[in-house]
């Protein structure tokens, strides 16, 4: 008998099938520095199908001069896709810094834009 899919597996399967909001309510473990937590929490509020720059994200979380620190926090994001760090881009609109590779970042952004 095949094991029943977990809530997380089900949500991710639905996300990849086009239900891009399926991951919105998945719980995440509360760890990291206060700054990282603030960055990651705000990432979950970036609407699917949209992007924002690292600088804009820094301003939104109340640290307008911390674009590089936002990038560093993104690098420590342990739950990419669920905490959608792929939605942050360079100030000039370029794709930068994605642990899964820029081709995957482009795919995720395009996937969300198609289904938003």
């Amino acid at each position: 008998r095949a094991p029943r899919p977990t809530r997380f597996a089900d949500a991710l399967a639905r996300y990849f099938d086009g239900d891009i909001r399926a991951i919105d309510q998945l719980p995440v473990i509360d760890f990291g520095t206060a700054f990282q937590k603030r960055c990651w929490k705000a990432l979950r509020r970036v609407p699917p199908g949209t992007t924002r720059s690292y600088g804009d994200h820094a301003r939104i979380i109340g640290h307008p001069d911390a674009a590089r620190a936002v990038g560093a926090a993104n690098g420590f994001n342990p739950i990419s896709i669920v905490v959608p760090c792929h939605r942050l881009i360079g100030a000039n609109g370029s794709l930068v810094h994605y642990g899964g590779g820029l081709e995957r970042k482009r795919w995720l952004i395009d996937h969300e834009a198609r289904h938003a």
Side-chain angles (χ1 to χ4, degrees), residues 41-53:
K41 185 175 181 179
L43 279 172
R44 296 194 81 189
R45 292 190 301 267
V46 178
T50 65
T51 58
R52 77 169 53 139
S53 73

Side-chain angles (χ1 to χ4, degrees), residues 29-52:
I29 296 171
D30 185 26
F31 73 96
T33 68
F35 183 80
Q36 288 170 333
K37 289 178 193 182
R38 182 178 276 179
C39 287
W40 299 336
K41 185 175 181 179
L43 279 172
R44 296 194 81 189
R45 292 190 301 267
V46 178
T50 65
T51 58
R52 77 169 53 139

Side-chain angles (χ1 to χ4, degrees), residues 3-17:
R4 202 170 119 217
T6 67
R7 175 180 176 192
F8 292 91
D10 178 61
L12 285 170
R14 289 188 355 252
Y15 170 86
F16 285 113
D17 284 343

